C-alpha cells in the first residue's frame, strides 16, 4: 500500500492528512502556524513536523508507514526562492529520526505549491477550475486542463485584497465616519460599530483603530458589522457589498479570460469567511458571474485544502 502526505500550512494552523492510493484519508493531524513569511523557519519546521506526527500517530495501520510522496501547500510560497526554502525543510523532515514513518521519496514525488492551488484541488476534487478565496485577504486562482494557471489578487491588505473582510471592514468604518460628518447619507453602521466595539461615540473609533493598533485580522473581524447592516437593508452597507461583488466578478472574469474560453464548462469554488455572511454575497456573486459565463457552476468546497494537497501528492505516484 502506498501512502502520501498532504499538508496545508497557513498563518494560524497546519493540517496534515495521511492518504492511501485509493484516495482515502486515513488520518488527520493539526499543529500551529507554518507561514514562514510571518514566523521564523524553525517554527515553521516544528509545526509541519508536529502535524505529520499527529496524523501518523492517529492512523490505525499495523505495518510501517512508508511515505511515497508529499505535497506541501503553504501560504506565502509563490516564488522560486520560497520553494527552495521549503525543499530545505523537507530534507530536514527526512532526517528526523523521531517521526514514526519511513521515507521513500524521489525528487518527482516532492511537490510544493501555494495554498491557492491546494484550495482549488481540494474544493473541487480535481486540479481544473477556479478558486475564489475571500477571508481576511482575497485571491482568485485558476488552472486549466493544460496545466496553465492564472492568479489575480493576493497582494496583501495594503496593495490589494479587494473584497476581503479587511477591506469590507475598512469601507464600513469609513462610511460610518463620513455619515457622522454629514458627507454620507444616514447609515446604521454608526450604531453597528458602536455596539460591536462598546463605544460611547463613533468618534472613539480613532482610539480603537489607531491607539490600540489593531492588526489586520482584528480589523477583518469587524466585517460582520457591515454584513449584518447589509442584511438588515442598510443602503450604504449594501453598496459596500455590491462593490465587493463587482471586484470579485471582475477578478474571476480575468482568470476566465486568461486560461479558459468563454463557453468553458467548469466549476468555481468559493472559500473563506466572507462567503458565510448573512447579506447573500454568495448569491449575488453567483448570479452576476453565471450571467456572464452561463456554463460556470459556483460551489462551496467539497473537501478541505489538505485533501487537495494529498491528491496532488498522489498524482505524482501515478504518472
Amino acid at each position: 500500500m502506498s501512502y502520501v502526505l498532504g499538508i496545508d500550512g497557513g498563518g494560524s494552523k497546519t493540517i496534515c492528512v495521511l492518504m492511501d492510493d485509493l484516495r482515502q484519508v486515513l488520518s488527520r493531524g493539526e499543529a500551529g502556524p507554518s507561514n514562514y513569511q510571518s514566523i521564523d523557519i524553525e517554527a515553521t519546521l516544528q509545526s509541519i513536523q508536529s502535524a505529520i506526527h499527529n496524523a501518523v500517530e492517529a492512523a490505525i495501520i499495523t505495518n510501517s508507514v512508508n511515505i511515497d510522496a508529499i505535497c506541501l501547500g503553504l501560504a506565502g510560497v509563490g516564488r522560486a526562492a520560497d520553494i527552495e526554502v521549503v525543499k530545505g525543510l523537507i530534507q530536514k523532515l527526512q532526517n528526523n529520526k523521531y517521526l514514526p514513518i519511513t521515507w521513500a521519496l524521489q525528487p518527482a514525488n516532492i511537490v510544493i505549491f501555494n495554498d491557492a492551488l491546494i484550495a482549488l484541488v481540494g474544493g473541487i476534487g480535481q486540479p481544473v477550475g477556479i478558486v475564489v478565496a475571500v477571508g481576511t485577504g482575497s485571491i482568485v486562482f485558476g488552472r486549466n486542463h493544460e496545466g496553465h494557471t492564472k492568479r489575480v489578487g493576493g497582494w496583501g491588505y495594503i496593495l490589494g485584497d479587494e473584497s476581503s473582510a479587511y477591506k469590507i471592514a475598512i469601507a464600513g468604518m469609513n462610511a460610518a465616519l463620513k455619515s457622522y460628518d454629514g458627507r454620507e447619507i444616514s447609515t446604521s453602521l454608526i450604531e453597528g460599530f458602536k455596539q460591536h466595539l462598546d463605544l460611547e461615540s463613533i468618534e472613539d473609533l480613532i482610539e480603537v483603530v489607531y491607539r490600540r493598533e489593531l492588526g489586520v485580522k482584528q480589523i477583518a473581524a469587524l466585517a460582520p458589522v457591515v454584513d449584518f447592516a447589509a442584511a438588515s437593508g442598510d443602503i450604504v452597507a449594501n453598496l459596500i457589498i455590491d462593490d465587493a461583488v463587482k471586484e470579485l466578478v471582475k477578478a474571476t472574469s480575468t482568470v476566465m479570460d486568461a486560461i479558459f474560453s468563454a463557453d468553458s464548462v467548469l466549476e468555481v469554488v468559493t472559500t473563506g469567511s466572507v462567503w458565510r455572511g448573512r447579506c447573500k454575497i454568495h448569491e449575488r456573486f453567483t448570479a452576476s458571474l453565471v450571467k456572464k459565463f452561463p456554463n460556470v457552476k459556483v460551489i462551496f468546497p467539497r473537501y478541505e485544502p489538505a485533501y487537495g494537497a494529498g491528491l496532488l501528492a498522489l498524482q505524482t505516484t501515478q504518472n
Side-chain angles (χ1 to χ4, degrees), residues 32-113:
S34 55
N35 182 345
Y36 89 94
Q37 306 284 10
S38 56
I39 62 175
D40 65 67
I41 198 70
E42 284 303 315
T44 297
L45 176 61
Q46 285 298 322
S47 292
I48 293 172
Q49 286 180 160
S50 296
I52 293 173
H53 185 277
N54 294 339
V56 175
E57 285 286 291
I60 305 174
I61 301 174
T62 56
N63 56 337
S64 174
V65 180
N66 203 54
I67 302 300
D68 295 309
I70 184 172
C71 173
L72 293 94
L74 305 180
V77 175
R79 302 169 301 165
D82 298 321
I83 292 175
E84 289 304 312
V85 170
V86 178
K87 284 181 179 178
L89 291 181
I90 295 174
Q91 187 61 51
K92 290 183 178 180
L93 287 174
Q94 294 181 80
N95 294 333
N96 187 332
K97 299 178 181 179
Y98 297 101
L99 285 174
I101 53 181
T102 302
W103 298 99
L105 298 177
Q106 300 297 321
N109 304 125
I110 300 171
V111 284
I112 302 162
F113 297 111

Side-chain angles (χ1 to χ4, degrees), residues 106-126:
Q106 300 297 321
N109 304 125
I110 300 171
V111 284
I112 302 162
F113 297 111
N114 60 53
D115 53 348
L117 179 58
I118 65 169
L120 166 64
V121 178
I124 295 177
Q126 63 167 335

Side-chain angles (χ1 to χ4, degrees), residues 5 8 25 44 69 80 90 104 167 189 195 223 236 250 289 298:
L5 295 174
D8 171 24
V25 174
T44 297
I90 295 174
K167 286 297 175 69
L189 288 170
Q195 291 180 18
V236 175
K250 184 176 182 179
L289 188 68
V298 182

Side-chain angles (χ1 to χ4, degrees), residues 198-216:
D198 194 23
L199 308 177
E200 290 188 10
S201 167
I202 195 65
E203 292 181 0
D204 295 333
L205 269 179
I206 291 176
E207 192 273 333
V208 171
V209 173
Y210 294 115
R211 295 178 190 168
R212 296 186 197 175
E213 297 182 345
L214 294 187
V216 175

Side-chain angles (χ1 to χ4, degrees), residues 8-318:
D8 171 24
S12 59
K13 62 183 176 181
T14 302
I15 299 172
C16 174
V17 296
L18 175 66
M19 292 173 59
D20 62 20
D21 52 11
L22 299 177
R23 296 167 56 121
Q24 299 295 313
V25 174
L26 304 178
S27 59
R28 186 175 182 275
E30 290 193 21
S34 55
N35 182 345
Y36 89 94
Q37 306 284 10
S38 56
I39 62 175
D40 65 67
I41 198 70
E42 284 303 315
T44 297
L45 176 61
Q46 285 298 322
S47 292
I48 293 172
Q49 286 180 160
S50 296
I52 293 173
H53 185 277
N54 294 339
V56 175
E57 285 286 291
I60 305 174
I61 301 174
T62 56
N63 56 337
S64 174
V65 180
N66 203 54
I67 302 300
D68 295 309
I70 184 172
C71 173
L72 293 94
L74 305 180
V77 175
R79 302 169 301 165
D82 298 321
I83 292 175
E84 289 304 312
V85 170
V86 178
K87 284 181 179 178
L89 291 181
I90 295 174
Q91 187 61 51
K92 290 183 178 180
L93 287 174
Q94 294 181 80
N95 294 333
N96 187 332
K97 299 178 181 179
Y98 297 101
L99 285 174
I101 53 181
T102 302
W103 298 99
L105 298 177
Q106 300 297 321
N109 304 125
I110 300 171
V111 284
I112 302 162
F113 297 111
N114 60 53
D115 53 348
L117 179 58
I118 65 169
L120 166 64
V121 178
I124 295 177
Q126 63 167 335
V128 176
I130 297 173
V131 59
V132 185
V134 194
T136 300
S138 65
I139 188 171
V140 181
F141 180 86
R143 186 179 188 276
N144 64 17
H145 287 282
E146 290 73 40
H148 299 139
T149 63
K150 175 63 177 178
R151 159 190 154 166
V152 173
W155 302 117
Y157 73 100
I158 294 176
L159 300 177
D161 282 355
E162 294 83 6
S163 309
S164 66
Y166 176 85
K167 286 297 175 69
I168 288 173
I170 290 291
M173 289 187 285
N174 184 257
L177 292 172
K178 283 184 176 180
S179 177
Y180 182 72
D181 282 345
R183 292 182 287 157
E184 180 63 87
I185 62 173
S186 178
T187 173
S188 64
L189 288 170
I190 294 175
E191 285 303 314
F193 283 113
K194 283 172 60 178
Q195 291 180 18
H196 188 84
L197 294 168
D198 194 23
L199 308 177
E200 290 188 10
S201 167
I202 195 65
E203 292 181 0
D204 295 333
L205 269 179
I206 291 176
E207 192 273 333
V208 171
V209 173
Y210 294 115
R211 295 178 190 168
R212 296 186 197 175
E213 297 182 345
L214 294 187
V216 175
K217 289 184 178 180
Q218 293 164 309
I219 289 177
L222 300 176
V225 174
V226 182
D227 171 58
F228 181 80
S232 301
D234 186 88
I235 295 174
V236 175
N238 273 293
L239 287 174
I240 292 171
I241 298 301
D242 286 340
D243 286 342
V245 170
K246 289 176 184 176
E247 285 290 342
L248 291 170
V249 170
K250 184 176 182 179
T252 307
S253 300
T254 302
V255 174
M256 281 288 298
D257 294 341
I259 60 174
F260 295 101
S261 61
D263 58 351
S264 292
V265 178
L266 73 147
E267 291 181 321
V268 174
V269 60
T270 50
T271 71
S273 60
V274 167
W275 298 115
R276 297 193 292 269
R278 305 181 190 182
C279 67
K280 298 185 177 180
I281 187 171
H282 193 268
E283 289 87 341
R284 299 189 202 190
F285 170 77
T286 300
S288 183
L289 188 68
V290 171
K291 184 177 181 180
K292 192 171 185 179
F293 303 101
N295 294 325
V296 162
K297 182 180 180 182
V298 182
I299 65 170
F300 283 109
R302 294 192 174 94
Y303 311 100
E304 65 178 327
Y307 182 75
L311 291 180
L312 289 166
L314 194 59
Q315 190 178 57
T316 69
T317 69
Q318 299 170 343

